Amino acid sequence: MKAVVVIGNNYSFNKDDFKDSYVIGVDRGALLCLENNIKMNIAVGDFDSISAEALDLLYKETNVIKLNPIKDETDTFEALKYCNGYDEIIILGGITGKRIEHFYANLLLLEQNTKIKIKDDNSLIFTTDKGVIIPKNEYKYISIFSLDDNTNISLQGFKYNLDYYNLKRINSLGVSNEVSDLIGKITLHNGRIIILCSKDDNI
Protein backbone atom coordinates (compact mmCIF):
# COMPACT_ATOMS: atom_id res chain seq x y z
CA MET A 1 0.00 0.00 0.00
CA LYS A 2 1.38 3.36 -1.07
CA ALA A 3 0.56 6.95 -0.13
CA VAL A 4 1.58 9.85 -2.38
CA VAL A 5 1.95 13.33 -0.93
CA VAL A 6 2.09 16.05 -3.59
CA ILE A 7 3.97 19.27 -2.95
CA GLY A 8 4.81 19.97 -6.57
CA ASN A 9 8.04 21.95 -6.78
CA ASN A 10 10.15 20.86 -9.78
CA TYR A 11 7.92 17.88 -10.49
CA SER A 12 6.27 17.09 -13.84
CA PHE A 13 3.20 14.99 -13.24
CA ASN A 14 3.46 11.35 -14.29
CA LYS A 15 0.27 9.36 -13.73
CA ASP A 16 2.25 6.18 -13.12
CA ASP A 17 3.43 7.72 -9.83
CA PHE A 18 -0.17 7.75 -8.61
CA LYS A 19 -1.26 4.25 -9.60
CA ASP A 20 -2.96 2.33 -6.78
CA SER A 21 -2.10 5.09 -4.31
CA TYR A 22 -3.77 7.13 -1.60
CA VAL A 23 -3.20 10.69 -2.82
CA ILE A 24 -2.84 13.78 -0.65
CA GLY A 25 -2.41 17.24 -2.14
CA VAL A 26 -0.55 19.61 0.18
CA ASP A 27 -1.39 23.29 -0.03
CA ARG A 28 -0.50 24.50 -3.56
CA GLY A 29 0.29 20.92 -4.49
CA ALA A 30 -3.45 20.19 -4.23
CA LEU A 31 -4.17 22.82 -6.87
CA LEU A 32 -1.47 21.34 -9.10
CA CYS A 33 -3.19 17.95 -8.78
CA LEU A 34 -6.42 19.48 -10.05
CA GLU A 35 -4.64 21.19 -12.93
CA ASN A 36 -3.07 17.86 -13.95
CA ASN A 37 -6.26 15.79 -13.56
CA ILE A 38 -4.95 13.83 -10.56
CA LYS A 39 -7.74 12.64 -8.28
CA MET A 40 -6.98 13.27 -4.61
CA ASN A 41 -8.34 11.52 -1.56
CA ILE A 42 -7.76 14.62 0.57
CA ALA A 43 -6.17 18.07 0.35
CA VAL A 44 -4.30 19.34 3.42
CA GLY A 45 -2.84 22.75 4.21
CA ASP A 46 -3.40 26.29 5.38
CA PHE A 47 -3.70 27.24 1.68
CA ASP A 48 -2.11 30.63 2.20
CA SER A 49 -0.35 30.30 -1.16
CA ILE A 50 -3.48 30.02 -3.33
CA SER A 51 -6.37 32.35 -4.08
CA ALA A 52 -9.81 32.17 -2.47
CA GLU A 53 -11.26 31.13 -5.84
CA ALA A 54 -8.79 28.24 -6.11
CA LEU A 55 -9.63 27.14 -2.57
CA ASP A 56 -13.34 27.15 -3.40
CA LEU A 57 -12.58 24.91 -6.37
CA LEU A 58 -10.71 22.49 -4.11
CA TYR A 59 -13.70 22.28 -1.77
CA LYS A 60 -15.87 21.33 -4.73
CA GLU A 61 -13.49 18.64 -6.00
CA THR A 62 -12.13 16.88 -2.90
CA ASN A 63 -12.18 16.58 0.88
CA VAL A 64 -10.28 19.60 2.23
CA ILE A 65 -8.60 19.65 5.63
CA LYS A 66 -7.81 23.32 6.26
CA LEU A 67 -5.13 24.02 8.83
CA ASN A 68 -4.61 27.08 10.98
CA PRO A 69 -1.75 29.10 9.39
CA ILE A 70 -0.43 29.72 12.92
CA LYS A 71 0.94 26.28 13.80
CA ASP A 72 4.07 24.55 15.05
CA GLU A 73 4.53 22.09 12.16
CA THR A 74 4.68 22.32 8.37
CA ASP A 75 1.75 21.43 6.12
CA THR A 76 3.68 18.39 4.92
CA PHE A 77 4.22 17.17 8.48
CA GLU A 78 0.48 17.46 9.12
CA ALA A 79 -0.33 15.66 5.85
CA LEU A 80 1.86 12.71 6.83
CA LYS A 81 -0.41 12.07 9.81
CA TYR A 82 -2.93 10.73 7.28
CA CYS A 83 -0.39 8.20 5.92
CA ASN A 84 -0.37 5.85 8.91
CA GLY A 85 -0.54 2.21 7.90
CA TYR A 86 1.02 2.66 4.44
CA ASP A 87 4.09 0.63 3.53
CA GLU A 88 5.54 3.33 1.29
CA ILE A 89 5.14 7.11 1.34
CA ILE A 90 6.31 9.17 -1.65
CA ILE A 91 6.58 12.94 -1.40
CA LEU A 92 6.52 14.45 -4.90
CA GLY A 93 8.32 17.78 -5.11
CA GLY A 94 9.67 19.65 -2.12
CA ILE A 95 13.37 19.23 -2.95
CA THR A 96 14.07 22.56 -4.60
CA GLY A 97 12.34 25.92 -4.53
CA LYS A 98 12.66 29.40 -3.12
CA ARG A 99 11.82 28.29 0.42
CA ILE A 100 14.92 26.17 1.16
CA GLU A 101 13.94 25.86 4.82
CA HIS A 102 11.00 23.69 3.79
CA PHE A 103 13.38 21.33 1.98
CA TYR A 104 15.46 21.02 5.13
CA ALA A 105 12.32 20.32 7.14
CA ASN A 106 11.43 17.57 4.64
CA LEU A 107 14.86 15.99 5.15
CA LEU A 108 14.16 15.88 8.88
CA LEU A 109 10.93 14.01 8.12
CA LEU A 110 12.99 11.39 6.26
CA GLU A 111 15.18 10.89 9.32
CA GLN A 112 12.11 10.08 11.38
CA ASN A 113 10.56 7.55 8.99
CA THR A 114 12.40 5.20 6.58
CA LYS A 115 9.13 4.57 4.70
CA ILE A 116 9.28 8.09 3.24
CA LYS A 117 10.97 8.98 -0.05
CA ILE A 118 11.15 12.40 -1.72
CA LYS A 119 11.17 12.56 -5.50
CA ASP A 120 11.19 15.28 -8.15
CA ASP A 121 12.19 15.42 -11.82
CA ASN A 122 15.90 15.23 -11.04
CA SER A 123 16.34 13.48 -7.70
CA LEU A 124 15.24 10.71 -5.36
CA ILE A 125 16.07 10.86 -1.64
CA PHE A 126 15.47 8.29 1.08
CA THR A 127 16.91 6.97 4.34
CA THR A 128 17.58 3.43 5.49
CA ASP A 129 18.95 1.39 8.36
CA LYS A 130 19.30 -1.71 6.17
CA GLY A 131 21.27 -2.78 3.10
CA VAL A 132 20.18 -1.49 -0.31
CA ILE A 133 20.60 -2.65 -3.91
CA ILE A 134 20.70 0.21 -6.42
CA PRO A 135 20.51 -0.67 -10.14
CA LYS A 136 22.40 1.33 -12.72
CA ASN A 137 19.66 3.61 -14.05
CA GLU A 138 18.82 7.21 -14.90
CA TYR A 139 20.25 8.42 -11.59
CA LYS A 140 23.93 8.90 -12.42
CA TYR A 141 25.13 10.15 -9.05
CA ILE A 142 24.54 8.30 -5.78
CA SER A 143 25.50 10.26 -2.68
CA ILE A 144 25.53 8.56 0.70
CA PHE A 145 25.73 10.38 4.03
CA SER A 146 25.60 9.02 7.56
CA LEU A 147 22.85 9.94 10.00
CA ASP A 148 24.90 8.61 12.93
CA ASP A 149 28.52 8.71 14.04
CA ASN A 150 28.65 4.92 14.39
CA THR A 151 27.68 4.03 10.81
CA ASN A 152 29.75 1.21 9.34
CA ILE A 153 29.29 0.67 5.61
CA SER A 154 30.56 -1.37 2.65
CA LEU A 155 30.00 -0.55 -1.03
CA GLN A 156 30.33 -2.94 -3.97
CA GLY A 157 29.69 -2.27 -7.66
CA PHE A 158 30.37 1.46 -7.32
CA LYS A 159 33.02 3.66 -8.91
CA TYR A 160 34.35 4.18 -5.38
CA ASN A 161 33.88 1.11 -3.18
CA LEU A 162 34.26 0.86 0.59
CA ASP A 163 34.99 -2.01 2.95
CA TYR A 164 33.70 -1.71 6.53
CA TYR A 165 34.22 2.04 6.51
CA ASN A 166 33.25 4.09 9.57
CA LEU A 167 31.23 6.90 7.96
CA LYS A 168 30.62 9.71 10.44
CA ARG A 169 27.78 12.20 10.22
CA ILE A 170 30.05 15.11 9.29
CA ASN A 171 31.94 13.08 6.65
CA SER A 172 31.31 14.11 3.01
CA LEU A 173 33.27 11.17 1.54
CA GLY A 174 30.08 9.66 0.07
CA VAL A 175 29.17 12.54 -2.22
CA SER A 176 28.68 11.95 -5.99
CA ASN A 177 29.54 8.25 -6.25
CA GLU A 178 28.37 6.25 -9.28
CA VAL A 179 27.12 2.70 -9.88
CA SER A 180 29.74 1.12 -12.17
CA ASP A 181 28.35 -2.44 -12.39
CA LEU A 182 24.80 -3.48 -13.27
CA ILE A 183 23.92 -2.99 -9.60
CA GLY A 184 25.50 -1.22 -6.66
CA LYS A 185 25.30 -3.01 -3.33
CA ILE A 186 25.22 -1.03 -0.10
CA THR A 187 25.82 -3.15 3.00
CA LEU A 188 25.04 -1.37 6.23
CA HIS A 189 26.76 -3.14 9.09
CA ASN A 190 25.64 -0.55 11.60
CA GLY A 191 23.94 2.84 11.74
CA ARG A 192 21.66 4.79 9.39
CA ILE A 193 22.26 6.58 6.09
CA ILE A 194 20.54 9.02 3.76
CA ILE A 195 20.86 8.31 0.03
CA LEU A 196 20.51 11.04 -2.60
CA CYS A 197 20.16 9.86 -6.21
CA SER A 198 20.62 12.56 -8.85
CA LYS A 199 20.39 12.62 -12.63
CA ASP A 200 23.24 13.96 -14.74
CA ASP A 201 23.11 17.76 -14.52
CA ASN A 202 24.63 18.08 -18.01
CA ILE A 203 21.62 16.50 -19.75
Side-chain angles (χ1 to χ4, degrees):
M1 296 175 64
K2 182 177 74 172
V4 174
V5 179
V6 182
I7 299 174
N9 292 334
N10 200 34
Y11 171 71
S12 302
F13 281 75
N14 180 345
K15 291 194 175 181
D16 288 341
D17 288 331
F18 301 90
K19 187 177 180 180
D20 300 324
S21 300
Y22 183 83
V23 179
I24 303 175
V26 178
D27 206 77
R28 187 169 185 82
L31 184 59
L32 292 173
C33 283
L34 284 186
E35 291 173 351
N36 287 274
N37 298 312
I38 300 298
K39 183 175 176 58
M40 291 170 284
N41 294 91
I42 57 173
V44 178
D46 55 28
F47 300 104
D48 58 356
S49 62
I50 67 174
S51 67
E53 292 78 11
L55 182 57
D56 287 341
L57 181 60
L58 282 176
Y59 272 109
K60 293 176 182 177
E61 296 295 333
T62 192
N63 181 27
V64 175
I65 299 170
K66 193 171 188 306
L67 305 174
N68 189 328
I70 302 173
K71 56 186 181 301
D72 295 329
E73 304 292 352
T74 65
D75 290 346
T76 304
F77 179 93
E78 295 294 335
L80 290 175
K81 292 180 180 179
Y82 298 90
C83 297
N84 290 333
Y86 289 91
D87 302 319
E88 184 180 15
I89 303 167
I90 307 294
I91 297 175
L92 296 176
I95 294 178
T96 57
K98 296 179 180 179
R99 299 290 301 276
I100 195 66
E101 69 273 23
H102 283 284
F103 172 45
Y104 186 74
N106 290 337
L107 292 180
L108 296 179
L109 294 175
L110 289 182
E111 284 202 48
Q112 299 170 46
N113 190 342
T114 58
K115 293 181 179 179
I116 301 173
K117 297 178 180 179
I118 304 180
K119 175 183 176 182
D120 71 1
D121 288 342
N122 301 309
S123 308
L124 173 68
I125 307 174
F126 59 98
T127 63
T128 184
D129 54 7
K130 298 179 176 63
V132 179
I133 298 293
I134 298 182
K136 191 176 184 68
N137 55 28
E138 73 270 26
Y139 295 110
K140 180 177 180 179
Y141 300 109
I142 309 297
S143 297
I144 303 166
F145 300 99
S146 176
L147 296 174
D148 298 307
D149 280 335
N150 64 340
T151 294
N152 197 280
I153 188 172
S154 296
L155 302 180
Q156 294 175 286
F158 286 86
K159 185 175 182 179
Y160 306 105
N161 288 323
L162 293 173
D163 186 29
Y164 284 87
Y165 186 83
N166 181 225
L167 187 66
K168 296 186 180 296
R169 190 177 180 102
I170 61 170
N171 195 330
S172 62
L173 177 75
V175 70
S176 297
N177 207 339
E178 299 177 38
V179 176
S180 57
D181 295 346
L182 291 178
I183 62 168
K185 182 179 180 182
I186 302 172
T187 302
L188 198 57
H189 307 288
N190 195 54
R192 300 177 302 143
I193 54 175
I194 183 167
I195 301 173
L196 299 89
C197 308
S198 301
K199 295 180 181 178
D200 191 343
D201 53 1
N202 291 317
I203 295 177

